[in-house]
Every structure is written in C-alpha cells, then in structure tokens.
Amino acid sequence: MVHGRPCGLLVSALAVLGLVSGCGSGHGSGAASASGAGGTSTAPGTSASAPGPSPSTPPPATTTTVTATAPERGASAAAPAGARCHTSELRASVGRNDPGAGQENFPVVLTNASTRTCTVYGHPGAAFLDASGRQLGADPERSTATRPLRVTLAPGRSAWAGLSFSNPEVSGARAATPVTLLVTPPDEHDPLRVRWTGGPVPVSGNASTVRLTAFEAGTGP
C-alpha cells in the first residue's frame, strides 16, 4: 500500500503538466490569429477565423501575378466598335458638283479610315477659308430637307451630306473663291481640311446662304 502512493502521485503530477502544456499551445494559436487580424494581409479565399501560423514560424510569402491582356491588333481602346466616329478616324472629300435650277450641289463625303466600325449621325459643320486661312462668308446652315439617320460605317465605307448654294452669277450675291473647306464631323470639335475646287461661292448679299443636309450612307445621290 505504501509503494502504490508514489505511483499515484506521479500520475497526478504528469496530468497537471499535461494540462499546463495544453493551455500554452492554445494561447500561442490565439496570439497568431490576433496578429493576422491586426493588419497582416490575408490571401484571397482564406477564412478570417482560420488559425494563423505559429509565432515562431514566419508566414509563407504570397506572390500575386497580374497578366495584362493587350488589345486586339487594330482595335481602339478608347472607342468600342459601333461608337461615334472621331475626326482622327475619318477622311473627308468633296464629290462632283450636280448643278440644277441655278443651284450648286456638292456631296461632302466622310470615309471611315480606321480599322473599327463606327457611326455618324446628323449634320457636319463646314466653313470656307481663303488662302490666308480667313473664313469666307457665314457658317452654312442646317437643311431640314433630310431627316437625320444614324449611319454605320464599316472600315472603308462612306457617308455623305449635301452642300448647296445658289450660283452667285445667277443670284447676284457677292462671291469669293475659297482654297479650303473645313469639315467637322458630327459631335466632334476638330475639323478636316479639304482642298476646294468647286469655284466661287456666295459670301454675302442676296441668296448667299449655304446649306448642309444630314448624312446619308454612300458617297452621293
């Protein structure tokens, strides 16, 4: 009986040591979790409640790889396909005169010179310039002869607007011969320059109004 007691005491002592060791392990886990919640970055997909690494072991480094996808060759990052045509994407020209009943009628043509499909809608802006760059006459007025339609231009396709005025020799208006026609696409601020070869235009006096129709598909009537 006397020899059994030291064994019991030994077992009890070992049990106590086991309890103390268990409490120390739990405390270490809690300290690691608090460190993670206090500002250490957590990798995406991990739970905030998951136990953190042991304080004595440095956390593994996390590497994030970002892959940049280059735009498709020829695509415009600023303007998606089908958006408004910008001045930098267009080429302007003036077609052949189609006179009639004392009127001069020229098609002002915009051609999509870009690699994307874009649209034009409404009337262009225009102005005649002399050799020194000064404007001749007033700004052309918008004609209501045609209803504005949205014209879709695939690469290489064109839209035209009619530029009309009374022949100065018939109307008696004061005339001048421009060197340049400025053409501004709808909703744009930057104009395109076209060499004017259409002869004299009215700049003041009787029947000196110049008119522009809205854009239609094609290069002329």
Side-chain angles (χ1 to χ4, degrees):
M1 299 296 294
V2 174
H3 297 287
R5 295 185 64 186
C7 181
L9 291 172
L10 180 59
V11 172
S12 298
L14 290 174
V16 171
L17 289 173
L19 289 172
V20 173
S21 177
C23 291
S25 176
H27 176 73
S29 175
S33 298
S35 175
T40 303
S41 299
T42 305
T46 60
S47 172
S49 61
S54 172
S56 60
T57 305
T62 301
T63 302
T64 303
T65 302
V66 179
T67 303
T69 304
E72 184 180 354
R73 185 177 180 84
S76 172
R84 182 180 85 241
C85 296
H86 299 294
T87 301
S88 60
E89 300 172 306
L90 297 168
R91 182 177 68 251
S93 60
V94 176
R96 182 180 300 176
N97 185 20
D98 182 24
Q103 285 284 116
E104 310 298 328
N105 305 296
F106 295 86
V108 176
V109 182
L110 292 181
T111 301
N112 183 1
S114 74
T115 56
R116 73 178 183 97
T117 297
C118 58
T119 63
V120 292
Y121 176 81
H123 299 73
F128 291 110
L129 304 181
D130 65 13
S132 61
R134 292 176 300 183
Q135 182 170 340
L136 298 172
D139 292 337
E141 297 182 359
R142 293 181 177 182
S143 170
T144 58
T146 58
R147 183 169 61 91
L149 298 172
R150 191 172 306 279
V151 182
T152 300
L153 299 181
R157 306 297 290 183
S158 302
W160 71 280
L163 184 151
S164 300
F165 53 85
S166 297
N167 187 314
E169 294 182 0
V170 175
S171 67
R174 188 171 74 84
T177 301
V179 172
T180 302
L181 174 67
L182 294 184
V183 180
T184 306
D187 299 315
E188 292 290 302
H189 297 289
D190 298 325
L192 295 163
R193 302 174 70 92
V194 183
R195 188 167 67 92
W196 178 257
T197 59
V201 301
V203 294
S204 65
N206 183 46
S208 60
T209 301
V210 178
R211 291 182 173 83
L212 284 164
T213 63
F215 277 108
E216 302 178 55
T219 58

